Amino acid sequence: MNLFMWGILVFCNFIMALTLSLAAKPHNHVIIENTLPVDKLDDPQVVTLAKQYRKRQFQIAFFLSVIEAILLLPMKDYLFMLLFFLLLMLSIGCGYYLQIRYIRKMRRIIEENHWQLAIASVQINTKLVREKNEKMVSVMWFVLAGGLSLLLFYFAYATMGNLLLIATVLLIEFSLIGGWYLVSRLPVRALTNDQEINRQYNNLTKYYWSFLMVGMGIFFPPLIYFPLLSLNSWKNQFILLTAIEFAMLVFLVIFTVAWLLTLRRKQDALLDQSSDFRYQGDDYYWRYGVYYNPEDSRFMVPDRIGLNLSVNLAKTGAKITMALGGVVLLIALFISVVPLYILDNHPDPFTYTVNDKNVTLEGPFVSKRAIPLTKIQQVDLVEELPKRGLRTNGFATDHYAMGSFKLDGKAANLFIDHHSHPILLIQTAAKNYYYTNKSPAKTRKAYQEIKQELK
């Protein structure tokens, strides 16, 4: 687990370095959030600073990865998760700080050499505005995506009864439809005096981004459903389905990056055909690496790297969205660290009670489970959990597992300390229950009490 989580941080470090370093490659005549004259893009000062910026991003990624290796040391789970979140935020903060620093360095070069561009007047082509969405991929393709979602998750609900999972997928679909709508609202950009180039540039942007929204809408349902399928319909093909799932994830990442890099190259090739680039005065609004323009009515704008859509932070909706992102991060930190702190430090985090009607199992931040004695088919002491499992609404680390799971195709509730053996297994027709106390003696005592009540 420690190695896996460290690997995630290392992966994030270098993905961030790779993404942020793209800003050092000219796109729409912009390098590190600053627009330069066409004949200055290859100036030695600009090239040297751009190379230095890319180098620094990867140096930071490597340096942070070395620091994050502290996660490989043995430690309590709550401390591990706290460090994980803090190191993740440190990685994001370092990349962002470096970006701002080099934005200012590039701006200084422009000002010292008097390379500032004159801001072009607003140019509106009414015909182009009317036809701005003619190359959009039709929103009707989401009907196929929605139908596929409902079909697959009908089976998911029939076999698992997991409404939360279905709601999550539908939320993703609605978010992608919202993304499609925001792409359709992107205004025409008149970056040159050649209206044909402007038309093609706009059409490329609309087509590539709308295709990506629709494609993800169709791709996500089977991507999420495969883990469920591996535990239900095709139990004997678990390894095959796991490999397919991994291959689909890799394909999604590679395709998305390649798709947007293709858009970026085509946009640049179009602008290279014209010598009269029209500077829109955007540098001022991107001077902190994010877009902030109170005079711009747009909620979303294409970023200047060409690989994302950014929000206009001057808009109330964008501020709320960013604030919600921070709230979600804090909630994730709370629900990850606090339960683990209790589990690591409480002398008896998993408890049980047995009476003449029920066996009750309890744990921190997990709803207690009351199991009627009349529903218990069998009770045993076992040494290990089933090999194949899926967490459906639970919490699992190397040391603990609690909440709702699917083990060997059957619903299960876990209250497990992996360092404590044996494991109490309570079987009913609907689901199984697995329980350990920190004290193995108390686990055996629970087994004896339940056996006594079942007589």
Side-chain angles (χ1 to χ4, degrees):
M1 181 68 172
N2 291 34
L3 182 61
F4 175 73
M5 297 296 280
W6 176 70
I8 289 176
L9 285 179
V10 173
F11 178 77
C12 290
N13 291 339
F14 283 94
I15 285 295
M16 281 186 58
L18 178 63
T19 303
L20 291 173
S21 67
L22 284 174
K25 297 183 178 181
H27 176 58
N28 292 353
H29 302 167
V30 175
I31 299 180
I32 316 179
E33 303 297 359
N34 286 277
T35 308
L36 288 96
V38 177
D39 61 336
K40 304 302 180 183
L41 294 174
D42 296 323
D43 185 271
Q45 295 180 77
V46 174
V47 173
T48 299
L49 187 67
K51 287 182 177 179
Q52 188 183 72
Y53 172 70
R54 288 195 296 268
K55 181 180 179 181
R56 291 287 183 269
Q57 285 290 356
F58 284 99
Q59 285 176 335
I60 285 181
F62 176 78
F63 181 67
L64 288 172
S65 297
V66 172
I67 292 176
E68 290 159 359
I70 191 175
L71 295 178
L72 299 177
L73 299 175
M75 64 182 73
K76 290 187 174 182
D77 281 354
Y78 83 92
L79 182 58
F80 176 87
M81 290 306 301
L82 180 61
L83 280 174
F84 176 84
F85 277 98
L86 291 177
L87 289 170
L88 179 61
M89 287 186 279
L90 176 65
S91 177
I92 296 171
C94 287
Y96 182 61
Y97 168 77
L98 188 67
Q99 182 186 34
I100 293 176
R101 185 179 177 190
Y102 275 81
I103 288 173
R104 294 177 178 176
K105 285 188 175 184
M106 184 64 76
R107 195 68 211 167
R108 194 177 304 121
I109 289 176
I110 292 174
E111 292 173 350
E112 289 174 353
N113 290 280
H114 306 289
W115 291 344
Q116 295 94 332
L117 293 167
I119 299 175
S121 58
V122 176
Q123 185 183 86
I124 299 176
N125 184 319
T126 55
K127 182 175 183 294
L128 188 55
V129 170
R130 289 196 308 270
E131 299 174 352
K132 69 176 184 176
N133 291 330
E134 65 177 359
K135 295 298 182 181
M136 289 275 292
V137 175
S138 174
V139 72
M140 295 306 295
W141 281 101
F142 279 108
V143 175
L144 173 61
L148 189 60
S149 298
L150 293 174
L151 177 64
L152 291 178
F153 286 94
Y154 166 77
F155 294 109
Y157 179 68
T159 55
M160 296 184 64
N162 197 324
L163 287 173
L164 178 62
L165 187 60
I166 299 172
T168 300
V169 174
L170 293 179
L171 178 62
I172 291 173
E173 294 293 341
F174 282 119
S175 298
L176 291 170
I177 292 173
W180 184 96
Y181 172 75
L182 290 172
V183 170
S184 73
R185 297 280 294 173
L186 290 175
V188 173
R189 301 191 71 193
L191 296 176
T192 75
N193 288 320
D194 188 323
Q195 296 306 319
E196 178 58 23
I197 289 178
N198 292 339
R199 184 185 68 81
Q200 292 182 45
Y201 186 100
N202 175 74
N203 285 342
L204 280 171
T205 302
K206 297 301 181 80
Y207 172 75
Y208 272 75
W209 274 103
S210 61
F211 181 93
L212 194 61
M213 298 296 174
V214 170
M216 285 186 172
I218 296 173
F219 195 83
F220 265 113
L223 178 66
I224 299 175
Y225 186 66
F226 261 104
L228 310 182
L229 191 63
S230 66
L231 289 174
N232 292 281
S233 301
W234 296 3
K235 294 179 184 178
N236 297 327
Q237 301 185 32
F238 177 76
I239 296 177
L240 174 61
L241 289 169
T242 302
I244 293 174
E245 171 80 5
F246 179 76
M248 290 174 68
L249 283 169
V250 172
F251 171 79
L252 179 62
V253 173
I254 293 176
F255 174 81
T256 301
V257 174
W259 185 254
L260 294 177
L261 284 175
T262 301
L263 169 62
R264 174 186 161 111
R265 285 194 295 269
K266 288 184 176 181
Q267 289 174 332
D268 288 336
L270 278 174
L271 294 184
D272 287 343
Q273 297 174 24
S274 175
S275 59
D276 58 348
F277 178 76
R278 296 173 57 83
Y279 173 55
Q280 308 290 307
D282 289 348
D283 291 359
Y284 177 79
Y285 304 110
W286 287 94
R287 64 190 186 276
Y288 296 111
V290 293
Y291 188 69
Y292 188 95
N293 184 1
E295 304 302 320
D296 193 335
S297 61
R298 293 176 295 174
F299 175 76
M300 296 194 75
V301 295
D303 73 0
R304 306 184 98 191
I305 294 177
L307 293 184
N308 203 354
L309 293 175
S310 185
V311 295
N312 181 2
L313 281 177
K315 299 301 175 185
T316 302
K319 293 174 182 175
I320 293 173
T321 301
M322 293 293 288
L324 286 175
V327 170
V328 168
L329 183 61
L330 289 175
I331 291 174
L333 176 63
F334 178 84
I335 64 177
S336 297
V337 174
V338 174
L340 286 174
Y341 179 83
I342 295 173
L343 289 169
D344 283 334
N345 295 283
H346 196 286
D348 202 10
F350 297 134
T351 60
Y352 76 94
T353 56
V354 180
N355 57 39
D356 59 353
K357 293 183 179 180
N358 299 306
V359 176
T360 304
L361 305 177
E362 295 185 67
F365 296 93
V366 178
S367 300
K368 67 180 180 180
R369 302 294 195 268
I371 313 164
L373 292 175
T374 56
K375 298 288 183 66
I376 296 176
Q377 296 177 332
Q378 189 172 341
V379 59
D380 293 295
L381 290 174
V382 298
E383 288 301 318
E384 59 182 18
L385 296 171
K387 297 297 184 184
R388 293 191 296 111
L390 175 72
R391 184 173 69 249
T392 58
N393 187 22
F395 188 89
T397 69
D398 285 345
H399 298 156
Y400 307 103
M402 60 182 182
S404 299
F405 291 72
K406 194 88 167 182
L407 302 182
D408 274 349
K410 186 174 181 181
N413 284 137
L414 272 60
F415 299 81
I416 295 294
D417 181 338
H418 290 301
H419 295 304
S420 180
H421 294 278
I423 301 169
L424 175 65
L425 167 59
I426 303 172
Q427 299 183 55
T428 69
K431 65 175 62 175
N432 293 336
Y433 299 83
Y434 296 85
Y435 170 84
T436 62
N437 195 281
K438 277 194 173 182
S439 167
K442 288 186 178 180
T443 303
R444 294 189 182 93
K445 181 182 177 183
Y447 169 74
Q448 295 296 336
E449 290 180 11
I450 297 170
K451 292 285 286 186
Q452 184 65 34
E453 290 293 338
L454 290 173
K455 289 182 179 179

